[in-house]
Amino acid sequence: MQTVHTVAELRTALTTARNAGKSVGLVPTMGFLHEGHASLIAQAVADNDVVVVSVFVNPTQFGPNEDLASYPRDPERDTELCRRLGADLVFMPAPAEMYRDPKAFVDIAGLSDGLCGRSRPTHFRGVCTVVTKLFQLAQPTRAYFGEKDAQQLAIIRKLVADLFIPVEIVGCPIVREADGLAKSSRNSYLNPAERNAAPVLSHALRAAREILRPGLATSVVRENIAAVLAAEPLARTDYIEIVQADTLEPLERCEGKMLVAIAVYIGTTRLIDNFTAEVSR
Ligand code: PAF
């Protein structure tokens, strides 16, 4: 396995592979890899001849008061995990390598406004910009994203469709701790009491999943989730949203392919979780 830091090195390494007719799998990450990322890398290794993992804490997707400076980093451990999982290439660029006096940004209307976009108004512009750059550089056959970031996944699917980017987007299931907490690099911010409280997100979603039925008002589902979250003193709800899974349009009633997504502060750490369900009469 090779670790490269520059755009030129990445291009050289992948041109050889592509000229030899090999399929390329790209796993974009911000590092501090956990088992959720490991499942994406393992899937990419299973599906492709050559696998590139990018490890880049992307500054443009953090708001001014967010955790860019404190975001957890461990490049040595990340490199070792990628090697163990069978990746071929790790791309670890410096911010100046990815953003040289940038003037071009990629934005996506509508889908970025609700859910996480409401409290993080510039987040998806940063995600779309860096993901487009990575697609341009790696020109992957397939790219892998976790379903935990359901809004991000829906946005990236729309991005590649609208911009005719020839890559297959593969969504991979949420990986959870034994008590239901979705794996996230940000779980490392939780103190022991907060860590005990954090599974309330998955408990609230599980309760919601049990009451879904065609035609039920989504306000009832939202109230059900809110009641479970309210019982946990360390939890403060950011949003509870029930939307059409592809367009992210709000739903009044349970029907079709639904995304039920929540964001909750546990102490000062903002966690997200979700599930999708197909509800038909
Ligand atoms: O999901 C993430 O970790 C990031 O948003 C991504 C897709 C790597 C872009 O920086």
Side-chain angles (χ1 to χ4, degrees):
M1 193 189 76
Q2 200 187 347
T3 301
V4 296
H5 299 278
T6 67
V7 162
E9 289 169 317
L10 178 68
R11 284 205 154 122
T12 306
L14 287 177
T15 304
T16 316
R18 225 175 293 104
N19 287 348
K22 295 188 171 170
S23 59
V24 174
L26 170 69
V27 185
T29 81
M30 297 211 300
F32 210 68
L33 304 178
H34 51 66
E35 284 148 65
H37 298 111
S39 76
L40 305 181
I41 299 168
Q43 188 62 51
V45 169
D47 293 347
N48 300 280
D49 300 321
V50 173
V51 169
V52 192
V53 180
S54 63
V55 174
F56 179 59
V57 182
N58 172 36
T60 61
Q61 68 188 76
F62 289 80
N65 299 317
E66 292 184 357
D67 55 346
L68 172 61
S70 60
Y71 195 83
R73 291 160 168 91
D74 194 341
E76 281 80 36
R77 192 170 59 87
D78 290 347
T79 308
E80 193 38 47
L81 181 71
C82 291
R83 186 195 315 281
R84 253 201 342 265
L85 290 166
D88 300 277
L89 202 56
V90 176
F91 178 48
M92 283 187 175
E97 186 68 15
M98 292 299 279
Y99 294 100
R100 305 173 188 174
D101 186 25
K103 299 284 186 270
F105 289 87
V106 182
D107 215 338
I108 186 159
L111 281 86
S112 296
D113 300 341
L115 296 104
C116 290
R118 205 162 298 123
S119 60
R120 308 186 74 191
T122 56
H123 173 67
F124 290 111
R125 179 182 191 251
V127 170
C128 288
T129 300
V130 80
V131 166
T132 305
K133 285 172 184 271
L134 291 167
F135 287 167
Q136 290 294 100
L137 290 174
Q139 301 187 19
T141 319
R142 301 180 188 86
Y144 296 79
F145 297 89
E147 289 174 354
K148 183 168 83 68
D149 296 303
Q151 184 176 16
Q152 170 172 282
L153 183 55
I155 284 174
I156 289 169
R157 287 190 194 285
K158 182 69 176 143
L159 171 79
V160 302
D162 277 9
L163 298 187
F164 307 116
I165 302 176
V167 56
E168 181 189 333
I169 302 301
V170 183
C172 297
I174 299 176
V175 178
R176 297 182 181 279
E177 304 285 355
D179 60 9
L181 176 63
K183 301 252 185 194
S184 164
S185 305
R186 289 193 170 97
N187 292 349
S188 66
Y189 296 153
L190 301 170
N191 68 29
E194 291 165 350
R195 175 62 190 80
N196 276 342
V200 71
L201 279 83
S202 64
H203 297 164
L205 291 175
R206 200 173 52 215
R209 196 191 269 275
E210 277 163 20
I211 64 165
L212 289 192
R213 58 181 163 75
L216 179 69
T218 52
S219 57
V220 174
V221 184
R222 273 202 306 277
E223 280 156 23
N224 191 281
I225 294 173
V228 177
L229 295 173
E232 171 48 65
L234 293 180
R236 183 169 55 85
T237 303
D238 178 13
Y239 68 72
I240 301 167
E241 295 279 356
I242 302 179
V243 297
Q244 203 288 330
D246 302 314
T247 64
L248 308 181
E249 294 286 344
L251 288 172
E252 289 288 307
R253 302 208 163 262
C254 295
E255 57 172 346
K257 191 174 162 202
M258 302 169 56
L259 168 68
V260 179
I262 63 178
V264 178
Y265 286 92
I266 302 290
T268 55
T269 303
R270 185 174 172 282
L271 301 178
I272 58 173
D273 201 349
N274 72 80
F275 70 89
T276 49
E278 182 75 48
V279 179
S280 45
R281 288 177 194 279

